[in-house]
C-alpha cells in the first residue's frame, strides 16, 4: 500500500527587486497585506489589549486606548508598523478606530502627501464621526494650495469636501483665494477639488468668491483648456 504525501502550510515568498528601495509606507502596506493573508486579525500593538477594549465601550477607556496607539507606534518599527496598525484599527471600529483616527489626525498633512498615507486619511474620514472628521481636516489647514496640486493630497481634499459640512469645508476655498485660484482650477488635480466644492458647496460665499475669481480672467481660455472646461461645465451645472 502506497502512503500518500500531503504538504501543508508551505509558503513561497517572492521579494521584489525594489523592496529595499520602496518607501516606508509602501513597505508597510505590503507587510499589512502579508499579515492579513497569514490570518493575523489584530496588529501587534492591539493583540494584547483587544479583548478588554472591545468588551467595554465606556468613555472611561478612551484615554487608555489613545495612549495605547501612541505606545504602539513608538515601540514598533516606526512609520511602517503604524500605518499597518491604523488600517487594522479602522476596520475593527469602535474605540480602536477612534484612537487610530486621533493619531492619524496628528500626522494628517504628512500622510496626505504620501501615496499610501493619503488612502489611510481618506479611510479615516469615511469612518470618523463629525468631530473626528473636523480634526482630521484641520491637519490640512495652511497647505490647501499645495494639496490641491498634489497627485495624492487632492484626494484627501475631495474627501473632506464630501464628508464635512459646507461650513467646515469652506477653509479650502478661502485658502485657494489666497493663492492663485486660476492655476489651481487649470491644474490636472486641482480642478477636481474645485469641481467637488461646486458640487457640494456652490452656495457658500467663499466658493462663490472663488468662482468669481476663476471667471475674472479670459473665460474663452478657461473653456478651451483641457481641465478648465470641466470647471466651466461644473460652474454651469452647480453655480
Amino acid at each position: 500500500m502506497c502512503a500518500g504525501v500531503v504538504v501543508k502550510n508551505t509558503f513561497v515568498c517572492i521579494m521584489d527587486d525594489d523592496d529595499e528601495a520602496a518607501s516606508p509606507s509602501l513597505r508597510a502596506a505590503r507587510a499589512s497585506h502579508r499579515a492579513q493573508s497569514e490570518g493575523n486579525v489584530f496588529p501587534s500593538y492591539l493583540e494584547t489589549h483587544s479583548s478588554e477594549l472591545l468588551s467595554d465601550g465606556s468613555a472611561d477607556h478612551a484615554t487608555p486606548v489613545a495612549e495605547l496607539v501612541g505606545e504602539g507606534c513608538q515601540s514598533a518599527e516606526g512609520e511602517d508598523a503604524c500605518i499597518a496598525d491604523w488600517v487594522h484599527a479602522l476596520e475593527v471600529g469602535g474605540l480602536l478606530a477612534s484612537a487610530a483616527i486621533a493619531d492619524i489626525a496628528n500626522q494628517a498633512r504628512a500622510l496626505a502627501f504620501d501615496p499610501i498615507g493619503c488612502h489611510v486619511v481618506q479611510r479615516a474620514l469615511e469612518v470618523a464621526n463629525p468631530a473626528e472628521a473636523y480634526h482630521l481636516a484641520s491637519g490640512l489647514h495652511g497647505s490647501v494650495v499645495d494639496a490641491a496640486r498634489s497627485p495624492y493630497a487632492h484626494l484627501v481634499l475631495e474627501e473632506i469636501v464630501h464628508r464635512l459640512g459646507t461650513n467646515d469645508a469652506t477653509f479650502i476655498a478661502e485658502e485657494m483665494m489666497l493663492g492663485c485660484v486660476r492655476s489651481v482650477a487649470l491644474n490636472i488635480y486641482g480642478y477636481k477639488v474645485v469641481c467637488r466644492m461646486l458640487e457640494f458647496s456652490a452656495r457658500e460665499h467663499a466658493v462663490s468668491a472663488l468662482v468669481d475669481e476663476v471667471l475674472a480672467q479670459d473665460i474663452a481660455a478657461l473653456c478651451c483648456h483641457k481641465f478648465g472646461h470641466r470647471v466651466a461645465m461644473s460652474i454651469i451645472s452647480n453655480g
Side-chain angles (χ1 to χ4, degrees):
M1 182 175 181
C2 296
V5 177
V6 178
V7 180
K8 294 183 178 180
N9 299 326
T10 300
F11 298 91
V12 178
C13 298
I14 300 175
M15 180 69 73
D16 292 339
D17 292 337
D18 60 345
D19 237 25
E20 292 300 321
S23 69
S25 298
L26 183 55
R27 294 198 303 272
R30 290 171 179 167
S32 177
H33 176 74
R34 286 195 293 268
Q36 293 180 55
S37 66
E38 293 170 7
N40 295 335
V41 178
F42 294 103
S44 57
Y45 80 89
L46 300 179
E47 287 178 346
T48 304
H49 305 274
S50 59
S51 59
E52 63 183 88
L53 290 173
L54 292 173
S55 64
D56 189 344
S58 63
D60 293 337
H61 287 71
T63 300
V65 174
E67 292 174 354
L68 181 61
V69 171
E71 291 171 2
C73 290
Q74 292 172 8
S75 62
E77 296 178 3
E79 180 186 358
D80 288 22
C82 281
I83 290 181
D85 288 354
W86 290 333
V87 170
H88 280 289
L90 292 174
E91 297 308 315
V92 170
L95 293 172
L96 299 179
S98 294
I101 289 169
D103 211 34
I104 292 167
N106 291 334
Q107 303 183 50
R109 187 189 184 283
L111 290 168
F113 285 85
D114 182 85
I116 300 298
C118 68
H119 297 295
V120 175
V121 180
Q122 288 178 81
R123 181 57 181 157
L125 285 164
E126 289 175 1
V127 304
N129 62 39
E132 291 170 337
Y134 181 82
H135 188 199
L136 285 162
S138 66
L140 273 295
H141 285 189
S143 304
V144 168
V145 174
D146 289 338
R149 292 169 173 160
S150 165
Y152 312 117
H154 84 278
L155 298 170
V156 176
L157 291 182
E158 288 189 66
E159 195 67 34
I160 289 172
V161 173
H162 183 202
R163 299 292 171 180
L164 267 66
T166 54
N167 288 333
D168 291 334
T170 53
F171 77 92
I172 295 175
E174 292 169 352
E175 286 195 28
M176 283 187 181
M177 290 292 293
L178 299 177
C180 185
V181 178
R182 179 81 171 206
S183 67
V184 173
L186 300 181
N187 181 264
I188 185 174
Y189 307 114
Y191 88 88
K192 298 178 182 179
V193 181
V194 175
C195 289
R196 185 57 67 115
M197 285 191 293
L198 286 166
E199 179 182 352
F200 286 93
S201 309
R203 298 185 182 277
E204 286 296 317
H205 174 73
V207 178
S208 296
L210 183 148
V211 170
D212 290 341
E213 184 69 20
V214 170
L215 298 178
Q217 301 179 40
D218 190 346
I219 296 178
L222 176 73
C223 295
C224 293
H225 190 274
K226 182 177 181 179
F227 307 116
H229 87 277
R230 300 185 186 184
V231 174
M233 291 298 295
S234 185
I235 292 172
I236 294 172
S237 300
N238 303 290

